[in-house]
Amino acid sequence: MNWYYANAGQKAGPIEESQLDALRQAGQINDETLVWCEGMANWQPYGKVRQPAPPGTAAQIPGAGGSGATTSGINETVCAECGRIFPIDSTIQFGEVRVCAGCKPIFMQKLAEGAKIGGGLSYAKILTRFGAVFLDGIILAAMNMLLGFTVGGLTFMQAAGAQPADRVGVQIGLFFLQLTIGISYEVIMIGKYGATLGKMAAKIKVVTAEGGKVTYSRALGRYFAKMLSAAICGIGYIMAAFDEEKRALHDRICNTRVITK
Ligand SMILES: [Zn+2]
């Protein structure tokens, strides 16, 4: 269980429950310190949450979410944007969350851009994704064509008298070289930047379901999962249009999402 606590007006954590208790024992926090963990509706004073409370105090209400929740009985709340603590009357309510005055402009802009409140992900539209895939296709085709011409030219000059079998060997070698380029392009770009050049141009990126960075190994897995999406007549790609989180088949397999930046 990850706990958060208020420290000098800032949200600190996540820390383990044992660490939280250790902080209390060390006197770093006291019974009045506001704490929160996943599943709690509100930030609560430590003393109320961590010591035996009579039934009905409802310190823990599962599944009620927590960001920006108000603290009951205490006129303080946590800004959903910056995570700092403010007097409740200096914050502005937006739906279920509250933000501080300082964060209001950023928050309003995010709302206008269609981002979900409370740190949710804004999934990329399927047409935008197709645009990015198309652009990457052009980039890779150009690279492969250049490579093909180079290899072809060299073969022609150096091995004008070569046997047909050698030429087949060159073709197979070229195929694997191009495949390697295709894989490296995708894995390195996604692993390092979260986006290929096409996706960068379309201002979208690949993230994990939680919005985190995609590792190189997951990017590699996703490359092969994309082959599957393409192999079934592209249906794997089209699936994104009918998914609530705009997941293509390869996103489902690798548990990734494509979001707008
Ligand atoms: Zn704020």
Side-chain angles (χ1 to χ4, degrees), residues 79-84 86 99-104:
C79 169
E81 186 64 33
C82 64
R84 283 187 288 180
F86 294 92
V99 291
C100 71
C103 291
K104 192 189 161 193

Side-chain angles (χ1 to χ4, degrees), residues 183-198:
I183 295 173
S184 311
Y185 172 73
E186 174 100 9
V187 172
I188 293 171
M189 293 302 284
I190 299 281
K192 197 164 166 61
Y193 305 107
T196 56
L197 293 175

Side-chain angles (χ1 to χ4, degrees), residues 78-178:
V78 179
C79 169
E81 186 64 33
C82 64
R84 283 187 288 180
I85 292 167
F86 294 92
I88 204 160
D89 48 18
S90 77
T91 60
I92 305 114
Q93 179 110 32
F94 288 97
E96 291 173 359
V97 301
R98 285 186 162 269
V99 291
C100 71
C103 291
K104 192 189 161 193
I106 308 168
F107 191 79
M108 294 293 282
Q109 197 183 337
K110 279 191 181 172
L111 276 187
E113 285 166 1
K116 278 191 197 167
I117 303 171
L121 301 173
S122 165
Y123 303 109
K125 291 191 179 72
I126 188 163
L127 275 178
T128 315
R129 291 182 62 168
F130 268 122
V133 169
F134 185 68
L135 225 85
D136 281 331
I138 293 175
I139 292 166
L140 276 177
M143 277 202 276
N144 285 337
M145 215 154 83
L146 206 69
L147 189 73
F149 280 140
T150 312
V151 172
L154 288 176
T155 314
F156 182 74
M157 280 190 293
Q158 289 179 348
Q163 299 299 311
D166 294 338
R167 300 216 177 133
V168 172
V170 168
Q171 282 305 314
I172 293 172
L174 187 63
F175 170 77
F176 280 106
L177 192 61
Q178 289 175 338

